Short mmCIF file of all heavy atoms in Angstrom, two decimals:
data_model
loop_
_atom_site.label_atom_id
_atom_site.label_comp_id
_atom_site.label_asym_id
_atom_site.label_seq_id
_atom_site.Cartn_x
_atom_site.Cartn_y
_atom_site.Cartn_z
N ASP F 407 -11.52 20.39 5.22
CA ASP F 407 -12.77 19.72 4.93
C ASP F 407 -12.88 18.44 5.76
O ASP F 407 -11.93 17.67 5.85
CB ASP F 407 -12.84 19.35 3.44
CG ASP F 407 -12.81 20.59 2.56
OD1 ASP F 407 -13.45 21.59 2.93
OD2 ASP F 407 -12.14 20.56 1.51
N SER F 408 -14.02 18.26 6.35
CA SER F 408 -14.26 17.06 7.15
C SER F 408 -15.36 16.23 6.51
O SER F 408 -16.35 16.78 6.04
CB SER F 408 -14.70 17.42 8.57
OG SER F 408 -13.81 18.35 9.13
N LEU F 409 -15.14 14.93 6.53
CA LEU F 409 -16.15 14.01 6.01
C LEU F 409 -16.49 13.01 7.12
O LEU F 409 -15.60 12.38 7.68
CB LEU F 409 -15.60 13.26 4.79
CG LEU F 409 -16.56 12.35 4.04
CD1 LEU F 409 -17.64 13.15 3.34
CD2 LEU F 409 -15.81 11.50 3.03
N LEU F 410 -17.77 12.92 7.43
CA LEU F 410 -18.18 12.01 8.50
C LEU F 410 -18.85 10.79 7.89
O LEU F 410 -19.64 10.92 6.96
CB LEU F 410 -19.18 12.71 9.42
CG LEU F 410 -18.68 13.98 10.11
CD1 LEU F 410 -19.82 14.71 10.79
CD2 LEU F 410 -17.62 13.62 11.13
N ILE F 411 -18.51 9.63 8.44
CA ILE F 411 -19.16 8.39 8.01
C ILE F 411 -19.83 7.80 9.23
O ILE F 411 -19.15 7.43 10.19
CB ILE F 411 -18.15 7.41 7.39
CG1 ILE F 411 -17.46 8.06 6.19
CG2 ILE F 411 -18.84 6.12 6.97
CD1 ILE F 411 -16.33 7.24 5.60
N GLY F 412 -21.14 7.71 9.24
CA GLY F 412 -21.87 7.24 10.41
C GLY F 412 -22.13 8.39 11.37
O GLY F 412 -21.73 9.53 11.12
N ASP F 413 -22.81 8.10 12.50
CA ASP F 413 -23.18 9.19 13.39
C ASP F 413 -22.58 9.05 14.79
O ASP F 413 -23.04 9.65 15.75
CB ASP F 413 -24.71 9.32 13.47
CG ASP F 413 -25.37 8.01 13.81
OD1 ASP F 413 -24.63 7.04 14.14
OD2 ASP F 413 -26.60 7.92 13.74
N GLN F 414 -21.53 8.25 14.91
CA GLN F 414 -20.89 8.06 16.21
C GLN F 414 -19.52 8.71 16.27
O GLN F 414 -18.82 8.61 17.27
CB GLN F 414 -20.71 6.57 16.51
CG GLN F 414 -21.98 5.75 16.45
CD GLN F 414 -22.91 6.08 17.58
OE1 GLN F 414 -22.51 6.13 18.74
NE2 GLN F 414 -24.17 6.36 17.26
N CYS F 415 -19.11 9.35 15.20
CA CYS F 415 -17.75 9.88 15.16
C CYS F 415 -17.77 11.40 15.29
O CYS F 415 -18.83 12.01 15.25
CB CYS F 415 -17.09 9.48 13.85
SG CYS F 415 -18.05 9.98 12.41
N GLY F 416 -16.57 11.95 15.45
CA GLY F 416 -16.50 13.41 15.59
C GLY F 416 -15.43 13.99 14.70
O GLY F 416 -14.42 13.35 14.40
N ALA F 417 -15.65 15.22 14.25
CA ALA F 417 -14.64 15.95 13.51
C ALA F 417 -14.61 17.38 14.03
O ALA F 417 -15.66 17.97 14.28
CB ALA F 417 -14.96 15.95 12.02
N HIS F 418 -13.41 17.88 14.24
CA HIS F 418 -13.29 19.21 14.83
C HIS F 418 -12.23 19.99 14.07
O HIS F 418 -11.25 19.43 13.63
CB HIS F 418 -12.88 19.11 16.31
CG HIS F 418 -13.61 18.03 17.04
ND1 HIS F 418 -14.81 18.25 17.66
CD2 HIS F 418 -13.34 16.71 17.20
CE1 HIS F 418 -15.25 17.11 18.19
NE2 HIS F 418 -14.37 16.16 17.92
N THR F 419 -12.46 21.27 13.94
CA THR F 419 -11.48 22.11 13.27
C THR F 419 -11.12 23.26 14.19
O THR F 419 -11.99 23.98 14.65
CB THR F 419 -12.07 22.66 11.95
OG1 THR F 419 -12.44 21.55 11.15
CG2 THR F 419 -11.03 23.48 11.21
N VAL F 420 -9.82 23.35 14.50
CA VAL F 420 -9.36 24.39 15.42
C VAL F 420 -8.27 25.21 14.76
O VAL F 420 -7.09 24.93 14.90
CB VAL F 420 -8.80 23.76 16.73
CG1 VAL F 420 -8.58 24.85 17.78
CG2 VAL F 420 -9.73 22.68 17.26
N PRO F 421 -8.65 26.21 14.00
CA PRO F 421 -7.63 27.04 13.35
C PRO F 421 -7.24 28.22 14.23
O PRO F 421 -8.11 28.89 14.78
CB PRO F 421 -8.35 27.52 12.09
CG PRO F 421 -9.81 27.48 12.41
CD PRO F 421 -10.01 26.60 13.61
N TYR F 422 -5.94 28.43 14.37
CA TYR F 422 -5.47 29.63 15.06
C TYR F 422 -4.85 30.54 14.00
O TYR F 422 -4.02 30.08 13.22
CB TYR F 422 -4.39 29.32 16.08
CG TYR F 422 -4.80 28.36 17.18
CD1 TYR F 422 -4.76 26.99 16.97
CD2 TYR F 422 -5.21 28.84 18.43
CE1 TYR F 422 -5.13 26.10 17.98
CE2 TYR F 422 -5.58 27.96 19.44
CZ TYR F 422 -5.53 26.59 19.21
OH TYR F 422 -5.88 25.72 20.21
N ILE F 423 -5.26 31.78 13.97
CA ILE F 423 -4.68 32.73 13.02
C ILE F 423 -4.18 33.93 13.80
O ILE F 423 -4.95 34.56 14.52
CB ILE F 423 -5.72 33.16 11.97
CG1 ILE F 423 -6.20 31.94 11.17
CG2 ILE F 423 -5.13 34.22 11.04
CD1 ILE F 423 -7.36 32.21 10.25
N GLU F 424 -2.89 34.20 13.70
CA GLU F 424 -2.32 35.37 14.37
C GLU F 424 -1.64 36.22 13.32
O GLU F 424 -0.60 35.85 12.80
CB GLU F 424 -1.27 34.93 15.40
CG GLU F 424 -1.82 34.07 16.51
CD GLU F 424 -0.71 33.53 17.40
OE1 GLU F 424 0.45 34.03 17.30
OE2 GLU F 424 -0.99 32.61 18.18
N ASN F 425 -2.23 37.34 13.03
CA ASN F 425 -1.69 38.19 11.98
C ASN F 425 -1.22 39.51 12.57
O ASN F 425 -2.01 40.27 13.11
CB ASN F 425 -2.75 38.42 10.91
CG ASN F 425 -2.18 39.18 9.71
OD1 ASN F 425 -1.00 39.55 9.72
ND2 ASN F 425 -2.99 39.41 8.72
N ARG F 426 0.06 39.79 12.47
CA ARG F 426 0.59 41.05 12.99
C ARG F 426 1.07 41.96 11.87
O ARG F 426 1.91 42.80 12.06
CB ARG F 426 1.73 40.77 13.95
CG ARG F 426 1.23 40.03 15.18
CD ARG F 426 2.23 40.09 16.28
NE ARG F 426 2.12 38.85 17.04
CZ ARG F 426 3.14 38.17 17.51
NH1 ARG F 426 4.37 38.61 17.30
NH2 ARG F 426 2.96 37.07 18.19
N ASN F 427 0.61 41.68 10.67
CA ASN F 427 1.00 42.55 9.56
C ASN F 427 -0.23 42.84 8.71
O ASN F 427 -0.84 41.93 8.15
CB ASN F 427 2.08 41.86 8.73
CG ASN F 427 2.63 42.77 7.66
OD1 ASN F 427 1.88 43.38 6.90
ND2 ASN F 427 3.94 42.88 7.58
N MET F 428 -0.54 44.14 8.60
CA MET F 428 -1.77 44.50 7.91
C MET F 428 -1.68 44.26 6.41
O MET F 428 -2.70 44.25 5.72
CB MET F 428 -2.11 45.99 8.18
CG MET F 428 -2.47 46.26 9.63
SD MET F 428 -3.80 45.18 10.21
CE MET F 428 -5.18 45.95 9.39
N ALA F 429 -0.48 44.10 5.90
CA ALA F 429 -0.32 43.89 4.45
C ALA F 429 -0.28 42.41 4.10
O ALA F 429 0.14 42.04 3.01
CB ALA F 429 0.94 44.58 3.96
N ALA F 430 -0.70 41.58 5.01
CA ALA F 430 -0.73 40.13 4.74
C ALA F 430 -2.16 39.71 4.44
O ALA F 430 -3.11 40.39 4.82
CB ALA F 430 -0.20 39.36 5.93
N ARG F 431 -2.27 38.59 3.74
CA ARG F 431 -3.61 38.12 3.42
C ARG F 431 -3.78 36.67 3.89
O ARG F 431 -2.97 35.81 3.57
CB ARG F 431 -3.82 38.19 1.92
CG ARG F 431 -5.30 38.26 1.54
CD ARG F 431 -5.46 38.62 0.10
NE ARG F 431 -5.25 37.45 -0.73
CZ ARG F 431 -4.87 37.53 -2.00
NH1 ARG F 431 -4.63 38.71 -2.56
NH2 ARG F 431 -4.72 36.44 -2.72
N VAL F 432 -4.81 36.44 4.66
CA VAL F 432 -5.03 35.11 5.22
C VAL F 432 -6.46 34.69 4.89
O VAL F 432 -7.40 35.42 5.16
CB VAL F 432 -4.83 35.11 6.75
CG1 VAL F 432 -5.10 33.74 7.32
CG2 VAL F 432 -3.43 35.58 7.11
N GLU F 433 -6.57 33.52 4.29
CA GLU F 433 -7.91 33.01 3.96
C GLU F 433 -8.12 31.67 4.64
O GLU F 433 -7.21 30.85 4.69
CB GLU F 433 -8.03 32.78 2.45
CG GLU F 433 -8.14 34.02 1.61
CD GLU F 433 -8.12 33.64 0.14
OE1 GLU F 433 -9.11 33.05 -0.33
OE2 GLU F 433 -7.11 33.90 -0.52
N HIS F 434 -9.31 31.46 5.13
CA HIS F 434 -9.62 30.18 5.74
C HIS F 434 -10.99 29.71 5.26
O HIS F 434 -11.96 30.44 5.34
CB HIS F 434 -9.62 30.30 7.26
CG HIS F 434 -9.92 29.00 7.95
ND1 HIS F 434 -8.94 28.13 8.36
CD2 HIS F 434 -11.09 28.41 8.25
CE1 HIS F 434 -9.51 27.06 8.90
NE2 HIS F 434 -10.82 27.20 8.84
N GLU F 435 -11.02 28.48 4.75
CA GLU F 435 -12.30 27.89 4.36
C GLU F 435 -12.45 26.55 5.05
O GLU F 435 -11.48 25.83 5.19
CB GLU F 435 -12.34 27.64 2.84
CG GLU F 435 -12.48 28.88 2.01
CD GLU F 435 -12.43 28.57 0.52
OE1 GLU F 435 -12.57 27.38 0.16
OE2 GLU F 435 -12.26 29.52 -0.25
N ALA F 436 -13.64 26.24 5.46
CA ALA F 436 -13.86 24.94 6.11
C ALA F 436 -15.23 24.40 5.73
O ALA F 436 -16.19 25.15 5.60
CB ALA F 436 -13.75 25.08 7.62
N THR F 437 -15.29 23.09 5.53
CA THR F 437 -16.59 22.46 5.28
C THR F 437 -16.67 21.16 6.07
O THR F 437 -15.66 20.56 6.42
CB THR F 437 -16.78 22.06 3.79
OG1 THR F 437 -15.82 21.05 3.47
CG2 THR F 437 -16.61 23.25 2.86
N THR F 438 -17.89 20.77 6.38
CA THR F 438 -18.12 19.46 6.97
C THR F 438 -19.24 18.80 6.19
O THR F 438 -20.24 19.44 5.89
CB THR F 438 -18.55 19.59 8.45
OG1 THR F 438 -17.55 20.29 9.15
CG2 THR F 438 -18.74 18.22 9.08
N SER F 439 -19.02 17.55 5.82
CA SER F 439 -20.08 16.86 5.08
C SER F 439 -20.16 15.40 5.50
O SER F 439 -19.29 14.90 6.21
CB SER F 439 -19.82 16.96 3.58
OG SER F 439 -18.54 16.49 3.28
N LYS F 440 -21.22 14.77 5.10
CA LYS F 440 -21.37 13.34 5.35
C LYS F 440 -21.48 12.65 3.99
O LYS F 440 -21.89 13.29 3.03
CB LYS F 440 -22.66 13.08 6.13
CG LYS F 440 -22.57 13.40 7.60
CD LYS F 440 -23.83 12.95 8.30
CE LYS F 440 -23.85 11.43 8.47
NZ LYS F 440 -24.88 11.00 9.42
N ILE F 441 -21.13 11.40 3.95
CA ILE F 441 -21.46 10.63 2.75
C ILE F 441 -22.97 10.43 2.81
O ILE F 441 -23.48 9.84 3.76
CB ILE F 441 -20.74 9.27 2.72
CG1 ILE F 441 -19.24 9.49 2.60
CG2 ILE F 441 -21.26 8.43 1.56
CD1 ILE F 441 -18.45 8.21 2.45
N SER F 442 -23.68 10.96 1.84
CA SER F 442 -25.13 10.93 1.96
C SER F 442 -25.67 9.57 1.52
O SER F 442 -25.04 8.84 0.76
CB SER F 442 -25.75 12.04 1.12
OG SER F 442 -25.62 11.74 -0.25
N GLU F 443 -26.87 9.26 2.00
CA GLU F 443 -27.52 8.02 1.59
C GLU F 443 -27.80 8.06 0.10
O GLU F 443 -27.76 7.04 -0.57
CB GLU F 443 -28.81 7.82 2.37
CG GLU F 443 -28.56 7.32 3.77
CD GLU F 443 -29.84 7.16 4.56
OE1 GLU F 443 -30.90 6.92 3.93
OE2 GLU F 443 -29.77 7.28 5.79
N ASP F 444 -28.07 9.26 -0.41
CA ASP F 444 -28.31 9.42 -1.84
C ASP F 444 -27.08 8.98 -2.64
O ASP F 444 -27.18 8.26 -3.62
CB ASP F 444 -28.60 10.89 -2.18
CG ASP F 444 -30.03 11.27 -1.85
OD1 ASP F 444 -30.87 10.35 -1.74
OD2 ASP F 444 -30.30 12.47 -1.69
N GLN F 445 -25.90 9.41 -2.17
CA GLN F 445 -24.67 9.06 -2.89
C GLN F 445 -24.44 7.55 -2.84
O GLN F 445 -24.07 6.93 -3.84
CB GLN F 445 -23.47 9.79 -2.28
CG GLN F 445 -23.48 11.28 -2.58
CD GLN F 445 -22.36 12.01 -1.87
OE1 GLN F 445 -21.99 11.65 -0.74
NE2 GLN F 445 -21.83 13.04 -2.49
N MET F 446 -24.66 6.98 -1.67
CA MET F 446 -24.44 5.53 -1.53
C MET F 446 -25.41 4.76 -2.43
O MET F 446 -25.02 3.83 -3.13
CB MET F 446 -24.65 5.09 -0.07
CG MET F 446 -23.56 5.51 0.88
SD MET F 446 -21.94 4.88 0.40
CE MET F 446 -22.16 3.12 0.70
#
Side-chain angles (χ1 to χ4, degrees):
Chain F
D407 298 320
S408 309
L409 185 68
L410 301 170
I411 301 174
D413 52 9
Q414 305 290 312
C415 55
H418 317 271
T419 302
V420 191
Y422 300 83
I423 299 171
E424 298 173 13
N425 187 358
R426 295 196 212 139
N427 186 310
M428 293 306 285
R431 203 168 80 204
V432 178
E433 287 175 70
H434 181 93
E435 287 177 14
T437 65
T438 302
S439 54
K440 283 187 75 166
I441 294 185
S442 71
E443 282 178 28
D444 281 340
Q445 289 175 326
M446 288 301 291

